[in-house]
Amino acid sequence: MKIAVLKETTDGEQRVSATPETAKKFIALGAEVAVEAGAGATASIDDEAYRAAGATIGDRASVLAGAGIILGVQGPDPASLAGAAPGAWLVAGLNPFGERARVDAYASAGLEALAMEFMPRITRAQSMDILSSQSNLSGYKAVLDAAAEYGRAFPMMMTAAGTVSAAKVFVMGVGVAGLQAIATARRLGAQVSATDVRSATKEQIQSLGAKPIFVENVAGIEGEGSGGYAGEMSDEYKAAQAELVSAHIAKQDIVITTALIPGRAAPRLVSDAQIATMRAGSVIVDLAVEQGGNVEGAVAGEVVTVHGVKIVGHRNVPSRLAADTSALFARNLYNFLSTFWDKEKGMPVLDEEIGDAVRLTQGGKVVNPRLLS
């Protein structure tokens, strides 16, 4: 089985889907690994490191030739996969809802597209979950981006010239990214609070030393929503939460928003009117900006100033830590494929639970129920 590792071509994408570590492990399984020249350069991995691990280096055409599995971080342009064998697996983050036409093109090309972001959130698939591994570092980076834009210190400092107050950080959305943002802001010495529509996250917030800010008089979601995400809330809850947040956000220096709903536009959490209540020099980091944004006025790929408040809307935040996020992403892909590796057949054989969840296309058709409903 030949495994092809592609160089990413999406603007701003600096990650790579395999590292010398995972290439060596694939080879130990009996696979041949071919890496497109320069694939790891933006993640601080040179071609020689792949060669030392046992991989071969070539141009895209030679890497794709005869490959049974094609690895990527983001879904490649279907036209760039000319020469790929029909039936080859394409394993990457494919953004199935946002790039449906591309998924259709993979089907027409006869590729079996496997979307890693559709990995079910079950215990045995945790090590394969690209959304969690990438979100973890996104939450960390969001705090660093906020600190870089914030014109004041994060921790309280007592000096001979007087005391510097600790920054007040408010995290909205307590999934993987939100929890890491809380932990990072706490490590930097900030005074941290957080909120979520899922009541079960209150204990998680407290365990990290932050203050939970929750609507008390209207029922939220007691546990997790579908797939570990929050779902849509009632209008009554939304109104109560907006009132609570408005009173709290006016006192904050930093706000970090992380709320996403798969397949839908990001929920609006912070309005222009709320931004206007924050003091000049405050910072908001919107990690959901590429899916429509949690913050009114956020612009994807830009840092804008509204009412004296900086709104940070960096695209592809995981790519801003390319070396570490690549290492984690590559391990997710290796964990996925190696778990199902059949030594006799020399290739992975997927089961129904995980295989049917991630498989988008097969036999020239789109087959995933989430795209057909």
Side-chain angles (χ1 to χ4, degrees), residues 4-5 57 69 78 86 93 107 168 180 201 205 225 241 280 294 316-317 355 364:
V5 179
I57 305 296
I69 298 175
K168 294 180 179 178
Q180 185 57 246
T201 61
I205 294 168
Q241 187 187 46
N294 297 143
N316 195 354
V317 174

Side-chain angles (χ1 to χ4, degrees), residues 197-259:
V197 298
R198 297 165 296 175
S199 302
T201 61
K202 185 179 296 185
E203 291 183 2
Q204 294 175 309
I205 294 168
Q206 292 171 324
S207 72
L208 292 172
K211 179 182 179 181
I213 305 296
F214 278 75
V215 172
E216 300 293 346
N217 58 338
V218 181
I221 299 173
E222 292 304 317
E224 298 288 336
S226 175
Y229 292 92
E232 286 281 7
M233 299 303 301
S234 67
D235 290 340
E236 182 185 11
Y237 185 93
K238 290 178 181 178
Q241 187 187 46
E243 182 179 353
L244 175 67
V245 167
S246 293
H248 187 70
I249 208 170
K251 306 171 186 176
Q252 304 306 302
D253 302 306
I254 308 287
V255 176
I256 297 172
T257 68
T258 72

